[in-house]
Amino acid sequence: MDSTSTAARTVKTGFAFFDLQAQFATIRHEILQAVESVLESQHFILGQQVELFEKDAAAYVEAPYAVGCASGTDALYLALCAEGVGPGDEVITTPFTFVATAGSIARTGATPVFVDIDPDTFNIAPDLVRKAVTEKTRAIVPVHLFGLAAELRPIQKVAEEHSLAVIEDAAQAIGATYRGQKVGSIGNFGCFSFFPSKNLGCAGDGGMVTARDGGMADRLYLLRAHGTRRKYHSEIIGMNSRLDALQAAILRVKIRYLDAWTKARRDRAALYAQLFDQYDLTSFIKSPSAPSHSGHVYNQYVIRSDDRDALRDYLQEHGVPTAIYYPEPLHLQPAFAYLGYSKGSMPEAEKACLNSLALPIYPELPAEDQERVVRSIADFYKSQVHKTRGN
Ligand SMILES: Cc1ncc(COP(=O)(O)O)c(C=O)c1O
């Protein structure tokens, strides 16, 4: 997601890892109309389009307040600032995520405290969260990775016991549910990204913070616009992180299709599972787990294989695009070396970096492409058996 090109097509075969053009073709007319109306108005910063989108998005996420901002990264930073997190504080999070999660914590001056993941879900392990709480802990940032809700109930319990804020990183998970509730409406804050490859993507960068509390929402409105309620009068130190009116207008069109696109993603995940069965692959690869109390939205479809690198090379040679999210855990990256973690300290996250592989998934993905992906995986394992026999 993140750094990949937003039009990630493999030139050789035309087979797409994801295909935003296919989606645009279905809503082209409405998007162009929305863009045209903003251009006609010449009103580009905040204003009616942003307010209307914030209303639609709050209703969609089932959160009392939604505040548009410039990116998912800023959404995290703004939520942390609204909560008053800063130097001397510790914030617990996962090392198996996009860098923005921990980077935003570090930017406030607080210390990111990494805890390992549950190997089954890729999400932060709640029992380890409990063990990591100290006197200095101020907040927990669980990430709903790949579109699957983190195990929030025990995390909320720890937070309540120690008066900590829960800031959900829902950048990859708009529409996902946890025990019947939408993610982003459960913790104190929900942080969303509208990066183009997200399930609800705009035409550039965009983000949003949801909040349960009106006072916190008010702080977010202030923080995203230089601390000002009226022009040239700053109540607090803020920043410039506004959602553009053009992006809001586009998002207002797209949010109406989001449930249908989520259903299409779920159908494609179900087809992968069926094909893995059909091709007898279930002992070689592990498909993503989806606990019955969670509604997965499959921003990514990530399998695990002990032969990941060889499998990926084979698929690439046969024109099947894949991606690795994430090749390196955050606690071992140079940017976080100052925290002093060593190799082996988060074994499950480190293992996930070595054996996880994302397969193509997007709402318009043709069934024939999925069949080709799975057939190629089966061919790889057949070739492995032949190699072993040949030795
Ligand atoms: C888990 C996670 N958190 C935060 C972000 C940051 O969002 P943005 O790219 O909109 O700044 C992303 C984006 O890829 C993400 O995947």
Side-chain angles (χ1 to χ4, degrees):
M1 73 225 56
D2 335 310
S3 59
T4 41
S5 149
T6 54
R9 275 180 169 276
T10 45
V11 176
K12 203 172 83 184
T13 61
F15 189 99
F17 182 69
F18 61 87
D19 186 349
L20 293 174
Q21 286 163 344
Q23 183 176 88
F24 180 58
T26 65
I27 51 171
R28 183 188 169 86
H29 183 63
E30 283 177 276
I31 296 284
L32 293 182
Q33 259 188 343
V35 168
E36 192 176 2
S37 79
V38 175
L39 291 175
E40 290 292 352
S41 78
Q42 288 291 301
H43 192 128
F44 297 116
I45 307 290
L46 297 177
Q48 194 196 23
Q49 288 298 328
V50 173
E51 280 167 28
L52 289 171
F53 172 67
E54 287 174 341
K55 247 187 218 152
D56 291 349
Y60 186 85
V61 175
E62 298 166 5
Y65 304 94
V67 181
C69 63
S71 67
T73 305
D74 277 2
L76 288 159
Y77 183 68
L78 287 164
L80 289 157
C81 290
E83 189 54 40
V85 171
D89 295 331
E90 292 178 354
V91 178
I92 298 170
T93 194
T94 163
F96 192 57
T97 177
F98 181 54
V99 64
T101 314
S104 303
I105 296 168
R107 270 210 295 152
T108 67
T111 304
V113 174
F114 293 118
V115 306
D116 209 355
I117 57 166
D118 170 351
D120 207 37
T121 62
F122 294 119
N123 283 328
I124 197 165
D127 50 328
L128 299 179
V129 170
R130 177 175 287 283
K131 286 187 192 144
V133 174
T134 72
E135 296 277 283
K136 292 183 179 167
T137 309
R138 277 295 305 274
I140 307 167
V141 183
V143 179
H144 307 308
L145 202 70
F146 306 140
L148 176 67
E151 203 49 63
L152 286 179
R153 189 181 274 177
I155 292 172
Q156 289 280 106
K157 194 160 183 287
V158 175
E160 276 158 29
E161 283 168 21
H162 297 274
S163 305
L164 311 174
V166 173
I167 299 174
E168 299 175 59
D169 183 340
Q172 301 179 10
I174 192 161
T177 54
Y178 177 76
R179 299 190 186 278
Q181 281 178 277
K182 288 261 177 79
V183 300
S185 72
I186 302 167
N188 302 69
F189 300 93
C191 301
F192 294 86
S193 164
F194 303 126
F195 185 79
S197 64
K198 297 295 194 271
N199 290 19
L200 179 64
C202 61
D205 277 310
M208 175 178 82
V209 191
T210 50
R212 267 199 329 230
D213 177 81
M216 283 298 171
D218 199 47
R219 275 187 81 75
L220 290 166
Y221 290 124
L222 283 176
L223 283 165
R224 78 168 174 190
H226 295 299
T228 57
R229 214 179 296 272
R230 64 183 158 87
K231 259 191 172 175
Y232 310 124
H233 176 79
S234 292
E235 296 175 28
I236 56 175
I237 305 282
M239 58 198 266
N240 176 5
S241 181
R242 300 171 295 213
L243 183 65
D244 290 339
L246 271 168
Q247 302 301 356
I250 289 169
L251 289 165
R252 282 185 67 211
V253 172
K254 293 183 79 173
I255 200 168
R256 288 191 277 109
Y257 294 92
L258 187 53
D259 281 340
W261 290 335
T262 298
K263 181 180 179 310
R265 285 176 184 273
R266 287 179 176 152
D267 289 348
R268 276 145 189 80
L271 180 57
Y272 270 133
Q274 191 186 315
L275 289 167
F276 293 151
D277 257 355
Q278 196 179 314
Y279 281 85
D280 278 335
L281 284 168
T282 50
S283 55
F284 297 108
I285 57 172
K286 183 183 175 312
S287 47
S289 83
S292 57
H293 57 267
S294 295
H296 203 318
V297 295
Y298 298 101
N299 178 243
Q300 295 299 338
Y301 187 90
V302 178
I303 61 165
R304 301 185 78 160
S305 157
D306 290 336
D307 313 292
R308 195 268 311 269
D309 290 338
L311 171 61
R312 184 168 199 229
D313 289 347
Y314 182 93
L315 293 176
Q316 196 167 337
E317 276 163 30
H318 291 80
V320 174
T322 59
I324 295 177
Y325 303 118
Y326 294 91
E328 259 187 297
L330 296 185
H331 66 285
L332 300 181
Q333 296 202 19
F336 298 102
Y338 73 99
L339 296 172
Y341 291 96
S342 53
K343 207 168 174 183
S345 58
M346 311 273 151
E348 296 301 345
E350 290 167 35
K351 213 183 294 167
C353 290
L354 297 175
N355 68 11
S356 56
L357 187 65
L359 303 182
I361 194 158
Y362 54 92
E364 302 78 14
L365 177 65
E368 310 85 77
D369 286 7
Q370 286 191 265
E371 174 109 30
R372 185 168 151 203
V373 171
V374 179
R375 208 180 327 114
S376 301
I377 296 174
D379 288 345
F380 166 78
Y381 280 106
K382 264 187 233 150
S383 74
Q384 293 296 98
V385 171
H386 288 147
K387 252 191 221 162
T388 320
R389 288 207 184 123
N391 284 340

